[in-house]
Amino acid sequence: MSVLIHFSIFPLDKGKSVSPYVARAVKIIGESGLKFSLGPMGTSIEGEWDEVITLVGRCLQELKKDSDRVYMSITADYRRGGSGRIESKVESVESRI
Amino acid sequence: MSVLIHFSIFPLDKGKSVSPYVARAVKIIGESGLKFSLGPMGTSIEGEWDEVITLVGRCLQELKKDSDRVYMSITADYRRGGSGRIESKVESVESRI
Amino acid sequence: MSVLIHFSIFPLDKGKSVSPYVARAVKIIGESGLKFSLGPMGTSIEGEWDEVITLVGRCLQELKKDSDRVYMSITADYRRGGSGRIESKVESVESRI
Amino acid sequence: MSVLIHFSIFPLDKGKSVSPYVARAVKIIGESGLKFSLGPMGTSIEGEWDEVITLVGRCLQELKKDSDRVYMSITADYRRGGSGRIESKVESVESRI
C-alpha cells in the first residue's frame, strides 16, 4: 500500500466527449479491489507499485481495443511504510487549515 | 467557469512531510471563492483560466516565502461553455459504470 | 529565470493528428523570446513564473479559437536564484552518468 | 514502439539538489536499450507499454533503496502502429513552424 497515484486516461480520436471511455477504465479500476477515489480530473489509486501500474496497463489495454491514440497522465507518490494514505493525506491537510 | 485544473504543489527542500506546506496552499485556494475539491494527490479547481492560474501563482508566492525549491503539477481541461464540471464530470462517469 | 516548466497542449476535438495545433502553440512560444526546448512530449520553457504562465495562456487562447476542448499538462520547477537551468539541469545529470 | 512517455522521478527527502538521484535513474534508462531523450524536466522514452513501464519500476526500485519518499510524473502517448516517434513528433511540429 506504499504508492498512491493520480491517473487519467482518455482517447484522442473520439472527439470531445470522452466520458464513455473514461467510464470503461474506471469500471476496471473499481473491480480491481484496490482502494480508489474518483475525482473530476482523474482517479486516485492506492496499492503496491506493481498492483497499481498493472491496473493502469489494463485500462490502456481496454481503450486500445477501439482507439488508435490514447493519452495517460500519472503522478505517483511512494512513501515507505505508507498505508491508508488515500484518506489520511486529505485529512492531514484538512486538519491544518 | 470553462477550465478545470488538477493542481499539486510541494517544496523539495523541506523533507518528506510536506502537508504543512500543502495546507498553506489549500487555505489560499479555499479563500479564493472558486469551486474546488481536495483530493489525495492534489486539488481540483474550476473557474476561468485567468482566475485559476492567478490562484496557482498565489500558492507559489506563498510557498516561495520559505522554500528555495518548489514543484508544481497542473493538468487543465478547457471546455467551451463548460460549467459546474467539478461535479458533473464525476457524475457523468459514475452514471456509466 | 527562476522557473522551468514542461508544457504540453492539444485539442481533444480534432482527432488523433494534433501536430498542426501543437505547432501553432510552439510558434507562439518561439516568438516569445523566452528560452525553450522542444521535446517529443512537450516544450520546456524557462523564465519568471508570470512570463511562462502568460505564455501558456496565450497558447490556450490560440487553440480556443477553433477548438471546443483543449487539454494542457504543466509541470513547474521553481528554484530561487536559478538561471540557465534549461541547459544546466541536463548537463548536471549527464555529468553524473 | 507504440508508446512514448515523458518521465520524471525525484526523492522528496533529500533536499533541493536531486540531480545525483535523477542521474541514477537516467543511468538505468540509458542501459535499457530503449530509445530515450533526456530533457530539462524529464526523460522521454519510446517502446512498448510493458517495456517502458517496467523500466519506470526499476528506476523507482533504485531510488527506494535510500529514499523514504519518491515522486514520479509520467505522461504517456499511445499510438497504434507508431514507431520512431521520439524523433518524428518533434520533426512534425518543427516542419509546421
Side-chain angles (χ1 to χ4, degrees), chain D residues 18-82:
Chain D
V18 296
S19 62
Y21 302 92
V22 173
R24 282 159 54 188
V26 172
K27 193 164 183 290
I28 289 171
I29 295 167
E31 292 169 352
S32 71
L34 293 183
K35 278 195 185 181
F36 74 101
S37 166
L38 186 58
M41 289 292 285
T43 303
S44 299
I45 311 171
E46 185 172 11
E48 298 302 330
W49 172 253
D50 287 347
E51 292 175 326
V52 297
I53 211 62
T54 298
L55 187 52
V56 165
R58 288 176 53 210
C59 293
L60 173 60
Q61 205 65 33
E62 172 64 25
L63 266 66
K64 277 168 63 173
K65 286 181 188 169
D66 53 3
S67 294
D68 286 342
R69 193 163 186 184
V70 179
Y71 185 87
M72 296 190 290
S73 171
I74 304 159
T75 50
D77 175 8
Y78 162 80
R79 186 164 190 162
R80 191 184 307 281

Side-chain angles (χ1 to χ4, degrees), chain B residues 49 53 56-57 60 64-65 67-80 85 89, chain C residues 49 53 56-57 60 64-80 85 89:
Chain B
W49 172 253
I53 211 61
V56 165
L60 173 59
K64 277 169 63 174
K65 287 181 187 169
S67 293
D68 286 342
R69 193 162 187 184
V70 179
Y71 186 88
M72 296 190 290
S73 171
I74 304 158
T75 50
D77 175 9
Y78 161 81
R79 187 164 190 163
R80 190 184 308 281
R85 290 197 297 152
K89 279 185 75 179
Chain C
W49 172 253
I53 211 63
V56 164
L60 174 60
K64 276 168 62 173
K65 287 180 187 168
D66 53 2
S67 294
D68 287 341
R69 193 163 186 184
V70 179
Y71 185 87
M72 296 191 289
S73 170
I74 304 159
T75 51
D77 175 9
Y78 161 81
R79 187 164 189 163
R80 190 184 307 283
R85 289 196 297 151
K89 278 184 75 178

Side-chain angles (χ1 to χ4, degrees), chain A residues 6-10 41-43 71-75, chain B residues 75, chain C residues 71:
Chain A
H6 185 259
F7 169 52
S8 63
I9 183 169
F10 50 85
M41 288 292 284
T43 303
Y71 186 87
M72 297 191 290
S73 171
I74 304 159
T75 50
Chain B
T75 50
Chain C
Y71 185 87

Side-chain angles (χ1 to χ4, degrees), chain A residues 8-90:
Chain A
S8 63
I9 183 169
F10 50 85
L12 287 189
D13 58 345
K14 302 298 180 190
K16 66 182 173 185
S17 295
V18 295
S19 62
Y21 302 92
V22 173
R24 281 159 55 187
V26 173
K27 192 163 184 289
I28 289 172
I29 295 167
E31 293 170 351
S32 71
L34 294 183
K35 279 195 185 180
F36 73 102
S37 165
L38 186 58
M41 288 292 284
T43 303
S44 299
I45 311 171
E46 186 171 10
E48 298 303 328
W49 172 253
D50 287 347
E51 292 174 325
V52 297
I53 211 62
T54 298
L55 187 52
V56 164
R58 289 175 53 210
C59 293
L60 173 59
Q61 205 65 31
E62 172 63 24
L63 267 66
K64 277 168 62 174
K65 287 181 187 169
D66 54 2
S67 294
D68 287 341
R69 193 163 187 184
V70 179
Y71 186 87
M72 297 191 290
S73 171
I74 304 159
T75 50
D77 176 8
Y78 162 80
R79 188 164 189 162
R80 190 184 308 282
S83 187
R85 290 196 299 151
I86 205 163
E87 298 100 9
S88 66
K89 279 185 75 179
V90 173

Side-chain angles (χ1 to χ4, degrees), chain C residues 1-89:
Chain C
M1 307 280 280
S2 53
V3 171
L4 196 52
I5 69 166
H6 185 259
F7 169 51
S8 64
I9 183 170
F10 50 85
L12 287 189
D13 57 346
K14 301 298 180 191
K16 67 183 172 184
S17 295
V18 296
S19 62
Y21 302 92
V22 173
R24 281 159 54 186
V26 172
K27 193 164 183 292
I28 290 171
I29 295 167
E31 293 170 352
S32 71
L34 294 183
K35 278 195 185 181
F36 74 100
S37 167
L38 186 58
M41 289 291 286
T43 303
S44 299
I45 312 171
E46 186 172 10
E48 298 302 329
W49 172 253
D50 286 348
E51 292 174 324
V52 297
I53 211 63
T54 298
L55 188 51
V56 164
R58 288 175 53 210
C59 293
L60 174 60
Q61 204 66 32
E62 173 64 24
L63 266 66
K64 276 168 62 173
K65 287 180 187 168
D66 53 2
S67 294
D68 287 341
R69 193 163 186 184
V70 179
Y71 185 87
M72 296 191 289
S73 170
I74 304 159
T75 51
D77 175 9
Y78 161 81
R79 187 164 189 163
R80 190 184 307 283
S83 186
R85 289 196 297 151
I86 205 163
E87 298 99 9
S88 67
K89 278 184 75 178

